[in-house]
Amino acid sequence: MSEQLLEIKGLHAGVEGKEILKGLDLSLGRGEVHVILGPNGSGKSTLMNVIMGHPNYEVTDGEIRMEGEDITGLKTFERARKGLFLSFQTPEEIPGITVENMLRTAKQAMTGEKVKIIPFRKKLKAMMEELRMDPEYAARYMNVGFSGGEKKRNEILQLLMLEPKLALLDETDSGLDVDAVQIVSNGVAKFHNEENSCLIITHNTRILEHLQVDRVHVLIDGRVVEEGAPELIEEINRRGFTHILDEQEEK
């Protein structure tokens, strides 16, 4: 089994005929936490959707490998079974399906094994308490009537219950107040261990407080133009992306 959990090589992809990713390279090892930074419109969310296999996005060149296996042509549900999970920037409401039923069905689909109800409900209740969610929300339709913060906590609840190998977190902390960011940060830290990995897009570095970041990637115009240690986050917080953009124009 490859210690490189995710490898992306020469990835070109876009939507509706518009190329957004323009030869992107990125690799992430098992047990690592990587952060993606970049100005608006640089291709960050597109990258997450393409990794997850969103059908609206087309890969025109390059490859995506998960544990050494080429998954570029796999459908979204097949990638989920391989251990991929995407936390949406704007979670969808799903009327008619309760939180508990969705999670139990998803768990069964991922593992191929029947989920025992009593242990599942016990864990679900414990995870909801950890995220300061009212346990009664388990019987409510998925995200229907939830506040923005409740939807984001529900994303982390799914992460904790489904236990994927790779969590793709697309601005899961956006629009949250200080207390909610702290809860989400704690939830991500509870999920992460040496056997799984996180790839995180964020504009609010507080979500990283309880995580050891291994690598930072800066995306500009659909490419990774700079990589570095966690100190790169502090530099960008201090200086912004202007100096990187200027360097790219000079090349």
Side-chain angles (χ1 to χ4, degrees):
M1 186 176 291
S2 173
E3 286 306 302
Q4 283 298 323
L5 188 62
L6 180 72
E7 294 177 276
I8 299 173
K9 297 180 180 178
L11 187 62
H12 290 257
V15 61
E16 297 179 349
K18 179 183 178 182
E19 185 176 56
I20 300 173
L21 304 181
K22 304 173 182 179
L24 185 145
D25 297 303
L26 187 150
S27 63
L28 181 150
R30 191 183 312 280
E32 294 182 346
V33 174
H34 288 211
V35 174
I36 297 178
L37 302 176
N40 292 336
S42 59
K44 301 186 299 296
S45 292
T46 293
L47 173 61
M48 294 298 211
N49 281 300
V50 170
I51 294 172
M52 198 66 224
H54 193 299
N56 288 351
Y57 292 84
E58 180 185 7
V59 174
T60 55
D61 199 7
E63 63 180 16
I64 303 168
R65 289 186 172 271
M66 178 87 169
E67 296 183 307
E69 177 186 354
D70 189 348
I71 64 169
T72 314
L74 296 186
K75 297 184 183 300
T76 302
F77 74 89
E78 293 171 321
R79 300 184 195 209
R81 286 176 177 168
K82 298 289 183 184
L84 278 170
F85 171 91
L86 174 61
S87 173
F88 294 101
Q89 187 174 343
T90 307
E92 295 286 338
E93 296 184 0
I94 309 177
I97 301 177
T98 67
V99 170
E100 179 183 338
N101 285 341
M102 196 287 290
L103 285 171
R104 192 167 69 242
T105 302
K107 187 72 171 180
Q108 289 180 168
M110 284 181 66
T111 64
E113 300 175 358
K114 186 174 181 180
V115 174
K116 295 181 179 178
I117 294 178
I118 293 177
F120 177 84
R121 285 181 172 170
K122 183 177 179 181
K123 181 178 179 180
L124 179 60
K125 182 179 179 182
M127 293 300 99
M128 294 184 81
E129 289 175 351
E130 186 90 25
L131 296 169
R132 300 184 195 175
M133 294 178 68
D134 187 336
E136 292 183 359
Y137 274 54
R140 291 180 59 172
Y141 292 151
M142 177 63 68
N143 290 326
V144 176
F146 287 26
S147 68
E150 288 166 344
K151 289 180 178 180
K152 295 300 181 73
R153 293 186 202 186
N154 195 28
E155 292 286 287
I156 302 304
L157 175 64
Q158 294 169 54
L159 177 65
L160 292 170
M161 293 299 295
L162 297 178
E163 301 175 303
K165 295 177 182 178
L166 174 57
L168 308 170
L169 307 181
D170 186 2
E171 294 191 38
T172 305
D173 52 351
S174 66
L176 299 180
D177 61 28
V178 173
D179 291 337
V181 170
Q182 183 74 22
I183 293 168
V184 166
S185 176
N186 288 336
V188 176
K190 185 175 182 64
F191 157 76
H192 181 248
N193 58 47
E194 62 183 15
E195 294 299 321
N196 60 44
S197 302
C198 298
L199 186 59
I200 303 172
I201 295 173
T202 182
H203 291 293
N204 183 349
T205 54
R206 287 202 61 188
I207 194 176
L208 307 173
E209 285 182 355
H210 302 290
L211 295 168
Q212 165 118 19
V213 175
D214 296 284
R215 196 76 176 158
V216 179
H217 311 267
V218 179
L219 259 66
I220 291 178
D221 194 27
R223 298 182 181 89
V224 175
V225 299
E226 189 165 343
E227 295 179 297
E231 290 74 24
L232 183 55
I233 298 174
E234 298 174 10
E235 180 184 350
I236 289 174
N237 282 341
R238 187 176 69 255
R239 300 177 63 190
F241 296 105
T242 304
H243 67 291
I244 300 177
L245 289 166
D246 290 342
E247 290 171 3
Q248 291 302 304
E249 289 180 0
E250 292 174 3
K251 291 182 179 180

